[in-house]
Amino acid sequence: MSDTDSGSVLSDHERTTIEAAAARIVPSDEGAGAREAGVIDYIEGLLAADDVDTDISPREKKEYANFILGGMGGRTEEQQATLFKLHGTGSRHLQAYRDGVRELDRAAAEVASGKDFRGLDDEGQDQVLTVLDERKDPFFTLLLTHTMEGFYGHPRHGGNKDRAGWEVLGYPGPSFPHGNEKPYGWYDANEPDEFAEEKKDRSS
Amino acid sequence: MAQHETVDVCIVGGGASGLVAAKELTEAGMTVCVLERGPWYKREDFALGDELMYKRRNFFWPTVELEPRTWRPNADSPSEVLSTKTQTFSNAMCVGGGTIHYSGLSWRFHESDFRVKSEDGPVAGTTIEDWPISYEDMEPFYEKAEWTVGVSGQGWSSPFDPPRKRDYPVGPAARNSPGAALERGARKLGLHPFPTPLAILTGDYDGRPGCIGKGMCSSYGCPVGAKSSTLESMLPKALATGRLEIRPLCLSREITLDRQGKASGVTYFNAEGEEEHQPARLVVMAAGGVETARLLLLSESARFPQGLANRSGLVGKNLMFHSPGVTLVVTFPEPLDGHKGTSSTRVLHDFYKTDTSRGFIRGGFMHPRAHGGDPIELALRPIHGKRWGQEHKDSMRETWRHYLHSHCTGESLPVESNAVDLDPDLTDCYGLPVARITYTSHENDVRLATYLGERSREIYEAAGATRIIVPKPETRKLHNHQMGSCRMGNDPESSVVDKWCRSHDVSNLFIVDASVFVTGAGLNPTLTIQANAFRVCDYMVTEAHKGNLIH
Ligand SMILES: Cc1cc2nc3c(=O)[nH]c(=O)nc-3n(C[C@H](O)[C@H](O)[C@H](O)COP(=O)(O)OP(=O)(O)OC[C@H]3O[C@@H](n4cnc5c(N)ncnc54)[C@H](O)[C@@H]3O)c2cc1C
Ligand code: SF4
C-alpha cells in the first residue's frame, strides 16, 4: 500500500500534500494552525484504521462490534480505540484522499503550469482550494471536516497536539472531574436572578 | 433456536419508558426480561469529555452502514438513506436509551394538550384528536415521575404551568449565561422566563450526587450520576428486586403469537447474532416511536397480515417529530462561556397557547442553550462567513466564548401520511427491512416554527445581542422526539391501543413509549412518556392482582 517505510498508509507525497492543504484550512498565525496541531496525524490515524471494514460482511462487523462492547464492556482505552476505528470508514476515505491529492495536483497545474499543489505559494493553494470549495467537491468537504476534527477534537485521537486547537479558542478543555463553579459567564454574574434564593433540597 | 424460561413480562427496549416499566413491574413482584439492542454502558464510560467519540462517531448509535433508515417527503417520491448526521441526532441505542444523553428538559404537558381537537379542531389535512385521558388522569403520575426520576425545578414559577400539588424534589439548576441573557431580553418585553425543569439533580437525592456544572451534558452521558437517566434512576432499583434480567446487545426482531392470538414472547438476535426466543406472559413495547412501529410491522402473521396489532391499519401512521425548528445562533458582546454548566436553565411559555390571530394553532417555547463545549460543532456551523481559512479561524476565536444556540420546540399536528413503514428495498445487517420514514411537516408546523424564531429574535435583540442568525424552518426527516405511530384511543377502528396503552387486538401486548401519543404538545416528551408508563404499569399491576392479566 505505502511507498515509504514509515508504516503509513499514505505516500510521502500524499501525506505532505494533505498536510499543506489542512494548513490552509486552519492557517498558523500568532496561534497554532493545523500544522502545529498535528492534524495530519489525526487524518492518517483515521485512514489507517479500518482493516476490518473491508474484509468482513456487515453482519460479521456488527457481531465484532458487539464482541468489543459486550462481555467486559467497551471500557478499556484499547477497546474504545478499536470501536472508534470500527465505526470510522477509513478504508473508503483512503481512496477519496488518494483521488483528492491527484485532483489537488491537477488543479494546481492549472494555476501554475508545471507545479503540484505543494509547489504553490499560500495564495495559489488558497486559489485551488477555493475552486474545489465552490464546486462543492465532496473530497474538499471531507478534508475540511477531518481538519476541524483533528484541530478542535480531543487530543486522544492524535490531533490537537498539546491542546493547541483549544488554546486558540481560550477553551480549557473538558472539566470532568472538577466541574465548574459559578459564575459561569458575564451575564449570569451580572443579570439579577429572581430565582437565586431557592432552597435546593425539599425532600426533608 | 435457544428457548429461555418463561418470564411474566418481556420488555422490548431499555430506554426512557422501558426501564420505568422494568422498575415498576419487578417491584410489584413480576419477573421481567428487558431486551436492549445496544450496549450496557456504565457511569464511568461517560468520563472522557470527547466530542469526537461521543457525538461524531457511533458510541450511542449504530452506524448507518449496518443499520440504516430511509426517508422520503411523500409516497410519490423516492426515498434516500438518512445521513450519519441525521441519524446521530436520534435517540441513543444503549441501556438507558435517549435519557443517557438527553438534555433532561422535563415537562408536564398542559391541560389543553390532551384535548386539541375540542379546543382547536378540526384542521384540514390533520388527524388531530383528543386523548382518551386528561391532564387530571396524568397529574398523580407526573408527580410520581418527578419524584422517582429525580427532576429539579421550581414549582409554580411559570404562570402558564398546569396545576400541580407538590413542588419538585430539588431546586432548579444554577443559571447559566444563556439563561441570564434570555431573562434580560424577556423581562424587557414583559415576558415570563422561569427555571427549566430538568432531570438533573442539583443536590444529593435518592443516593445520587448533584450536578457539578461541567458542560458536555446534552448529547453526552453523565459521569457524575447527576443526570436522572433511567440507567441511574430506575435500573438499580429494578435490579435490586432480583427479578430483572437485562440483556444488552439483543435486537428483537419479532413478537411471537400463540394459537389464541396472544403474544407468547419475543424472538431476538443475541450479541453473537444467533436467534433466541424469550417466552413471556406479557409483552411491553418500549423501543421508541420509530422502532416499536417497525417491530410490529415486522411481526406479521396469517392472523395479522398487516403487522401485529394492526387491524386498524394505523401502526406507523400519524408520526410526529415536533415543529421543524428553528435553531438560532446568537452572539453577545460579553462572554457567555457556554462550555460551563448544563445546557438549558431558563425558558418561557408565553407563546404556548393557541392565538388564532397568528395564523396557526397551538404553540411552543424557546430554550437558549449553553453549547457545552463542542468546538468541532461550532467550526462546522455555517455562521463564520467562510468555511475555512484565516477568516474562519478569527470567527472561531470571536464566537467561542460569546455564542449560544437557541432552540424552538413547537407542536406538530398529526398527519396520517406521515408514517413509519418497512422499506421494500433496503435491509439492515440482519437482513430485516429497515424503517422507512415518510414525513413532511404540516403547514401549521412550519408557520409555528417561523413564528417562534421571530419571537426569539426579538428577545435576543432586547437582550443586547450583537448578532442573531435565524435560519429557515428545517426539513424534518427524523427527530429524537418520535410520537404518535401507535396512537391511543377508545375506538379500535381509529386507534392502535386503548387508554391503558393495551393493544385493541392483542390483549397481553402493551406499548409504553411515545408511539401512543395522540398529539405531541409543544414540549419535550420524555417526562410525559415516563409518567404515562407509570400510569400504565399501575394499571397492569392492579389487573394482574385481580388475575385479569397473568394467570
Ligand atoms: C441530544 C438529545 C437531547 C434530548 N433532550 C431531551 C430533553 O431535554 N427532554 C426530553 O423530554 N427529551 C429529550 N430527548 C428525547 C428523549 O431522549 C426521548 O424522547 C426518549 O428517550 C424516548 O423514550 P423511549 O422510551 O420512547 O425510547 P428510548 O429512550 O429511545 O429507548 C428505546 C430503546 O429501545 C431500544 N430498541 C430499539 N429497537 C429495539 C429492538 N428491536 N430490540 C431491542 N431494543 C430496541 C433502543 O436501543 C433504546 O435503548 C433528547 C434526545 C436527544 C438525542
Ligand atoms: S452538566 Fe451536570 S448533569 Fe450534565 S453531564 Fe455534567 S455533571 Fe452530569
Side-chain angles (χ1 to χ4, degrees), chain B residues 12-17 35-38 89-94 96-99 101-105 218-219 250-252 286-288 291 295 480-481 513-514 524-526 529:
Chain B
V12 179
S17 53
L35 300 172
E36 167 52 54
R37 75 198 278 173
F89 193 61
S90 185
N91 297 319
M93 293 193 172
C94 60
T99 65
H101 64 154
Y102 74 161
S103 320
L105 279 77
S218 184
S219 294
C250 288
L251 183 127
S252 307
E291 294 297 320
L295 198 49
N480 49 44
H481 303 162
D513 56 40
N524 315 57
T526 308
I529 296 173

Side-chain angles (χ1 to χ4, degrees), chain B residues 11-19 34-39 55 60-62 69 88-107 197-198 217-220 230 247 249-254 266 268 286-292 294-295 298 343-344 367 369 432 479-483 512-515 523-530:
Chain B
I11 300 175
V12 179
S17 53
L19 293 185
V34 172
L35 300 172
E36 167 52 54
R37 75 198 278 173
K55 255 190 105 162
F60 288 125
W61 307 271
R69 286 168 173 162
T88 52
F89 193 61
S90 185
N91 297 319
M93 293 193 172
C94 60
V95 174
T99 65
I100 292 295
H101 64 154
Y102 74 161
S103 320
L105 279 77
S106 295
W107 302 109
L198 290 170
C217 189
S218 184
S219 294
Y220 294 84
T230 51
R247 290 193 204 124
L249 303 172
C250 288
L251 183 127
S252 307
R253 51 146 284 214
E254 188 181 355
V266 182
Y268 63 95
V290 169
E291 294 297 320
T292 285
R294 175 185 177 217
L295 198 49
L298 282 172
S343 58
S344 172
H367 40 132
R369 329 256 292 184
L432 303 173
H479 193 43
N480 49 44
H481 303 162
Q482 307 166 351
M483 308 168 290
V512 292
D513 56 40
S515 318
L523 296 164
N524 315 57
T526 308
L527 191 75
T528 300
I529 296 173
Q530 294 179 314

Side-chain angles (χ1 to χ4, degrees), chain B residues 289-505:
Chain B
V290 169
E291 294 297 320
T292 285
R294 175 185 177 217
L295 198 49
L296 291 175
L297 295 172
L298 282 172
S299 306
E300 54 178 42
S301 58
R303 200 184 282 263
F304 291 104
Q306 303 191 76
L308 187 63
N310 194 20
R311 292 224 168 93
S312 65
L314 287 175
V315 169
K317 307 249 169 83
N318 297 308
L319 183 65
M320 294 172 284
F321 285 153
H322 274 142
S323 61
V326 296
T327 301
L328 296 86
V329 176
V330 187
T331 55
F332 280 86
E334 304 296 338
L336 301 165
D337 282 335
H339 59 279
K340 300 178 187 174
T342 63
S343 58
S344 172
T345 61
R346 288 292 183 276
V347 287
L348 51 83
H349 282 186
D350 295 73
F351 308 108
Y352 197 77
K353 275 189 78 146
T354 293
D355 174 350
T356 41
S357 72
R358 295 172 187 152
F360 57 84
I361 62 163
R362 314 307 298 161
F365 76 107
M366 47 281 278
H367 40 132
R369 329 256 292 184
H371 55 73
D374 295 336
I376 304 169
E377 182 173 291
L378 177 63
L380 297 174
R381 281 183 187 276
I383 60 161
H384 302 287
K386 280 205 72 178
R387 294 209 291 166
W388 54 281
Q390 192 64 48
E391 194 179 325
H392 179 273
K393 190 178 179 188
D394 290 340
S395 170
M396 285 295 288
R397 283 193 177 101
E398 282 156 25
T399 33
W400 172 253
R401 297 187 61 198
H402 294 264
Y403 90 102
L404 60 83
H405 48 109
S406 187
H407 295 210
C408 301
T409 298
E411 184 151 351
S412 56
L413 302 183
V415 173
E416 192 165 309
S417 54
N418 284 343
V420 189
D421 69 354
L422 302 178
D423 194 300
D425 303 317
L426 192 66
T427 55
D428 64 12
C429 61
Y430 293 107
L432 303 173
V434 305
R436 173 175 66 180
I437 290 152
T438 305
Y439 202 90
T440 297
S441 295
H442 189 272
E443 182 54 32
N444 194 81
D445 310 0
V446 179
R447 288 205 199 123
L448 168 55
T450 310
Y451 177 84
L452 291 176
E454 285 311 314
R455 296 296 78 74
S456 305
R457 181 206 296 280
E458 289 163 6
I459 293 170
Y460 298 119
E461 270 167 10
T466 34
R467 195 165 160 229
I468 305 171
I469 302 169
V470 188
K472 293 226 154 52
E474 297 143 23
T475 304
R476 276 268 189 266
K477 300 180 177 176
L478 179 66
H479 193 43
N480 49 44
H481 303 162
Q482 307 166 351
M483 308 168 290
S485 52
C486 300
R487 59 171 24 186
M488 88 170 97
N490 295 322
D491 179 1
E493 298 288 312
S494 60
S495 58
V496 176
V497 295
D498 69 12
K499 69 173 187 172
W500 301 111
C501 299
R502 180 180 192 161
S503 158
H504 288 301
D505 305 339

Side-chain angles (χ1 to χ4, degrees), chain B residues 128-299:
Chain B
I128 52 173
E129 265 305 334
D130 291 355
W131 292 46
I133 55 171
S134 65
Y135 178 77
E136 292 68 40
D137 296 325
M138 286 288 283
E139 202 282 334
F141 298 100
Y142 274 126
E143 181 181 307
K144 181 169 183 179
E146 285 165 355
W147 282 75
T148 315
V149 170
V151 177
S152 61
Q154 185 166 339
W156 305 281
S157 58
S158 163
F160 307 104
D161 256 6
R164 60 165 59 243
K165 300 199 174 83
R166 198 178 180 195
D167 207 343
Y168 296 95
V170 284
R175 188 183 61 163
N176 59 20
S177 268
L182 178 85
E183 255 181 43
R184 173 183 262 226
R187 287 228 182 79
K188 283 197 183 139
L189 299 177
L191 304 170
H192 303 84
F194 64 97
T196 315
L198 290 170
I200 290 177
L201 300 180
T202 47
D204 291 352
Y205 179 71
D206 200 23
R208 290 187 286 125
C211 169
I212 60 169
K214 61 164 194 43
M216 291 189 153
C217 189
S218 184
S219 294
Y220 294 84
C222 180
V224 174
K227 195 190 281 185
S228 300
S229 68
T230 51
L231 175 76
E232 296 285 354
S233 60
M234 301 293 149
L235 186 60
K237 292 184 173 131
L239 287 170
T241 64
R243 284 185 285 272
L244 173 69
E245 197 190 326
I246 181 156
R247 290 193 204 124
L249 303 172
C250 288
L251 183 127
S252 307
R253 51 146 284 214
E254 188 181 355
I255 316 301
T256 53
L257 284 183
D258 66 14
R259 288 214 193 93
Q260 286 75 45
K262 288 183 126 201
S264 60
V266 182
T267 302
Y268 63 95
F269 293 106
N270 68 16
E272 287 79 43
E274 294 149 1
E275 281 193 26
E276 297 187 8
H277 185 252
Q278 176 59 58
R281 297 179 183 93
L282 297 173
V283 172
V284 174
M285 305 292 295
V290 169
E291 294 297 320
T292 285
R294 175 185 177 217
L295 198 49
L296 291 175
L297 295 172
L298 282 172
S299 306

